Amino acid sequence: MTRLRGPALRVVLLAAVGLGGCSSSPGAGKTELHVSAAMSLKEAFTDLEAGFEAEHPEVDVVFNFAGSQILAAQIVAGAPADVFASADRAQMERAATSGRMQPARVFARNRLVIVAPAGDPSIQGPADLTRPGLRLVLAGESVPVGAYAREALNRAGVRDAALANVVSNEENVRGVLGKVAGGEADAGVVYATDVTQELADKVRTIAFAGADDVVPAYEIAALADSPQQALAGAFVDRVAGPAGAAALGKRGFLPP
């Protein structure tokens, strides 16, 4: 059974005192494995859940999907977690300052794309993000996709002019995509894997030319203070192994 927690720190504080919204049904009597994972991994990790729980019928995997920077802050603050999957190394290293993390492993990569509303053909590449009056939405600087986007804009030689058009900095990649799909922005930068078939009639995807060497890398690690060390390690192994590669590949992720 998948249960999702929102990114608000209020949820973290409640979870830390046992009030994090964990119901007793239908997973009553099962061991909960708490997995904090980057929002962009939501579908792939949900795909992996059924197989893991089938192999471990005594386990109920409880996901906490949010921006990696929020999850890292939760871990540093002492919030309960057994596994952390980050969309970049910086947030994994931030989590590691807590002294709670086991060594991390890179398990997947992604690529950046520009998105624009489906009915607007005017965006053809990163240079168009500098157009006066254009409404550009990015994730915040501390959010992995936001940091990657800024690096890519810099590599493409348009960073300063494009950043002058930013009208909103979102907490995660889905926030960026939602603003563009909803017509609240003229363009955004997201992971290619977030542009699903369901959004094909709302957004179009443009290659991020000039920044091919900016390749987002995902890392995963068990927490050293997890009360479920064997299960946490088993989940990490599944994600980093053949089953994980298949689930991630199906969702468009690149191999590590």
Side-chain angles (χ1 to χ4, degrees), residues 199-212:
L199 291 168
D201 62 337
K202 295 182 179 180
V203 301
R204 66 185 188 89
T205 303
I206 302 100
F208 208 127
D212 293 339

Side-chain angles (χ1 to χ4, degrees), residues 2-256:
T2 302
R3 277 166 287 173
L4 308 180
R5 295 194 181 95
L9 189 56
R10 178 178 61 84
V11 174
V12 184
L13 298 176
L14 290 174
V17 295
L19 298 174
C22 295
S23 61
S24 59
S25 177
K30 291 190 174 185
T31 298
E32 291 187 342
L33 186 71
H34 294 262
V35 178
S36 293
M39 183 65 76
S40 52
L41 294 167
K42 182 177 178 180
E43 287 76 18
F45 272 30
T46 301
D47 291 346
L48 282 167
E49 178 185 13
F52 185 82
E53 289 184 347
E55 289 185 0
H56 304 273
E58 79 285 5
V59 175
D60 178 21
V61 178
V62 180
F63 288 118
N64 177 18
F65 294 111
S68 298
Q69 81 288 355
I70 292 174
L71 301 174
Q74 292 175 359
I75 290 170
V76 171
D82 300 300
V83 175
F84 175 38
S86 173
D88 72 354
R89 177 167 295 175
Q91 296 307 322
M92 182 62 75
E93 290 178 344
R94 180 183 178 192
T97 63
S98 68
R100 301 177 65 194
M101 302 305 304
Q102 298 277 22
R105 301 161 66 178
V106 175
F107 66 93
R109 296 186 188 274
N110 213 327
R111 59 189 178 89
L112 295 176
V113 294
I114 300 167
V115 287
D120 180 6
S122 65
I123 306 296
Q124 297 295 324
D128 294 314
L129 302 181
T130 68
R131 191 172 65 218
L134 179 131
R135 298 172 300 166
L136 177 63
V137 173
L138 300 178
E141 291 186 60
S142 65
V143 185
V145 70
Y148 289 129
R150 286 164 175 79
E151 182 180 355
L153 290 169
N154 187 54
R155 298 290 178 91
V158 297
R159 177 185 172 106
D160 291 346
L163 292 184
N165 285 335
V166 172
V167 295
S168 178
N169 288 286
E170 300 298 310
E171 287 190 342
N172 59 62
V173 66
R174 301 298 169 88
V176 176
L177 197 55
K179 287 286 179 70
V180 177
E184 298 177 62
D186 301 312
V189 179
V190 301
Y191 298 123
T193 55
D194 286 288
V195 188
T196 61
Q197 282 294 329
E198 292 76 12
L199 291 168
D201 62 337
K202 295 182 179 180
V203 301
R204 66 185 188 89
T205 303
I206 302 100
F208 208 127
D212 293 339
D213 54 345
V214 179
V215 183
Y218 291 72
E219 297 193 358
I220 189 168
L223 274 79
D225 60 358
S226 166
Q228 315 297 339
Q229 284 292 313
L231 288 172
F235 188 86
V236 170
D237 287 342
R238 187 172 186 84
V239 170
L248 289 157
K250 178 182 176 182
R251 294 291 181 174
F253 288 85
L254 304 173

